[in-house]
Amino acid sequence: SPSTMVSIRQATVEDLIAMQQTNLWCLPENYNMKYYYYHILSWPQLLQVAEDHKGKVVGYVLAKMEDDEPEEPHGHITSLSVLRTHRKCGLATTLMTSSHRRMTETFNAEHSALHVRKSNHAAFHLYSQTLTYTIHDIEEGYYADGEDAYDMRKHFRKTASPEEAPPSAPPDAPSPQTSPPPPPPAPE
């Protein structure tokens, strides 16, 4: 199967042309090269590519952080694409999972958001069933051709980082006091 010889890695500037080419072949939403550069210069950790054993890019995920809002930091999947020859091998899931991991580890993202065409049943199934995104809203006329989009979100489970975790007491230490000491008696 095509996936047996495919590896996932962080994208480099040298990958951007191939990523754009994959996008042009596979998707109706296309971006100019400046937009790819904007992503890789701002959030290089979030851009992932799948490459075959010959070093050819066969899929990518283009993602960014949305940090201009007062809410929790969160990621946004700008674009995901896998060449037709390499579909149904789990590459899209692996690319997305890799980007999600970078969102949480590097940027402490609370969730990831994305838009998907209402008519794109395969992508909707991937996002909702495999990757556990849920519909947050419907954006009418989101796409250039007027088609509506599902605004979808995936919330990441927060795990306490080591510095936030309470220090563990040595086994022979007395248990810490759980309630405050009683106030001293009031003077009479």
Side-chain angles (χ1 to χ4, degrees), residues 141-169:
Y142 178 82
Y143 291 99
D145 61 6
E147 186 173 347
D148 297 348
Y150 289 121
D151 171 2
M152 302 187 77
R153 307 253 163 119
K154 175 185 177 71
H155 289 270
F156 303 122
R157 271 197 296 285
K158 286 287 189 197
T159 55
S161 59
E163 61 270 9
E164 291 169 359
S168 54

Side-chain angles (χ1 to χ4, degrees), residues 4-24:
T4 54
M5 302 297 279
V6 174
S7 58
I8 308 288
R9 62 170 172 77
Q10 185 173 314
T12 66
V13 169
E14 288 76 28
D15 295 316
L16 295 181
I17 299 280
M19 290 169 69
Q20 185 184 46
Q21 195 61 58
T22 303
N23 170 269
L24 292 168

